[in-house]
Amino acid sequence: MTAPAPTLVTETALAARRGPGTRIVVGVDEVGRGALAGPVAVGACAIEVVDGRPAPLPEGVRDSKKLTARRREGLVAPILEAGRGGAVGWASAAEIDEVGIMAALTRAALRALDALALEIDAILLDGDVDVLTPALATAERPAPLVELRVAADRDCASVAAASILAKVARDAHMVDLDADAPEYRWASNKGYGSAAHREAIDRLGAHEHHRRSWRLGSGASVPAAPAPAASVPAQPAAPPGPSTVEAGVLWDDQWPLQDGKERR
C-alpha cells in the first residue's frame, strides 16, 4: 500500500499560531547520524505561508529514504525554486569526536538555519527531542517556535524536502571523499558500516574522516555511545563542505545495518 504524500498541513497550522500575514516555516532534517565516516548534514527547507496559504512544493517530494538517488537529485532544483530558501549545514567527523553527536547535530542545524538568512517564524523537526530552542534563544529576540513531530519526514512536505537536500548533498560529499580513500568504498556505502567498510578499517586503520571516538571495525555492530554534549559556540566553525543552498529524522536516526544497504 502506497503511503500518502506529505502535506503542508502542519506547516500551515504553525504559521497560523504565529498570527496572520506572511510567515516563514522551516522544515529541518538530518542525514548521516549513524555513519562511521564523514560529516553529518542537516537540511533546511523554508516555505512561505501568506494568510494561511502555503506556497506548494514540487510534486513527488517524499522522505528521501523512499526515493531513488536519481529521483532525489532531480528534485533538488525544483525544491529550491519552489521554496523560500534551502540550505545544508554540516558538522565534521572531528567535531563529532570533539563534542558528541547531539551537539554536532545542533551545530549543523544552526549552520543550515543561518545559511537561509531569513526571519524564521517556526521550525518543524522530525523526532521528539528539542535541542534547538535553547541554542536559538538570545537576549535580543525570542526563539522561533519549534515544533517536534515523529515521522515528520514522512508526513510534512517541508521536512521531506529538507531530507532530500541533505541526502543529495551528503551523498555527493562522500563520493568526493572516496576519491582520496577508495579502499573504504565510501562512494557506495556513504560512510555507513557495510561489511566491506569495516573490513577495510580492520586492515588499514581509521582514516582522518572516520569518527575515531566510535567503535569502527568488524568487532562492533553499532557506534560507541556519543560523548557528552558540549555547548554550541556562538560563532561555529566553518563546515567541511558547502553550507548554503545545495543540494533526515533529526536526532533519532537509526543506526546502520551490517548489510551495507543505503541509510540516511
Side-chain angles (χ1 to χ4, degrees):
M1 182 176 179
T2 303
T7 71
L8 293 170
V9 171
T10 302
E11 292 88 336
T12 303
L14 286 174
R17 288 167 60 183
R18 298 310 298 250
T22 300
R23 298 295 178 184
I24 302 297
V25 179
V26 178
V28 176
D29 201 13
E30 61 85 12
V31 172
R33 172 176 174 171
L36 306 183
V40 290
V42 174
C45 178
I47 65 162
E48 186 175 79
V49 182
V50 181
D51 292 327
R53 296 186 298 275
L57 287 169
E59 184 71 23
V61 167
R62 298 289 190 279
D63 173 12
S64 64
K65 299 188 299 297
K66 306 299 183 182
L67 301 171
T68 65
R70 179 176 294 182
R71 185 60 179 144
R72 287 192 298 263
E73 292 164 4
L75 281 166
V76 169
I79 288 170
L80 295 176
E81 183 178 350
R84 181 63 186 275
V88 176
W90 306 81
S92 68
E95 286 182 279
I96 294 168
D97 289 338
E98 176 190 359
V99 302
I101 187 64
M102 300 300 283
L105 284 165
T106 302
R107 288 184 179 187
L110 291 176
R111 290 165 184 166
L113 296 172
D114 286 345
L116 291 174
L118 294 170
E119 290 292 329
I120 299 168
D121 294 289
I123 298 170
L124 180 58
L125 302 180
D126 184 70
D128 57 5
V129 179
D130 180 7
V131 296
L132 270 183
T133 297
L136 289 168
T138 68
E140 292 77 25
R141 63 179 184 179
L145 174 66
V146 176
E147 179 82 357
L148 305 175
R149 183 184 175 103
V150 174
D153 54 356
R154 180 195 66 196
D155 300 331
C156 304
S158 68
V159 180
S163 77
I164 292 169
L165 297 181
K167 176 66 173 167
V168 171
R170 188 180 184 279
D171 281 2
H173 184 68
M174 294 308 299
V175 171
D176 289 342
L177 293 184
D178 180 81
D180 294 330
E183 300 88 352
Y184 299 102
R185 303 187 187 180
W186 292 332
S188 60
N189 62 49
K190 305 304 186 289
Y192 288 94
S194 69
H197 187 185
R198 292 187 185 278
E199 185 278 330
I201 296 170
D202 289 339
R203 180 165 44 87
L204 303 171
H207 190 273
E208 63 176 301
H209 293 297
H210 278 112
R211 302 172 188 180
R212 293 169 180 261
S213 60
W214 294 19
R215 295 190 297 272
L216 296 174
S218 60
S221 60
V222 296
S231 59
V232 178
Q235 299 294 330
S243 61
T244 54
V245 286
E246 177 185 318
V249 254
L250 193 59
W251 302 302
D252 63 358
D253 201 9
Q254 294 181 352
W255 298 121
L257 301 181
Q258 290 186 331
D259 59 9
K261 292 180 181 178
E262 186 173 272
R263 290 291 177 265
R264 300 179 65 101

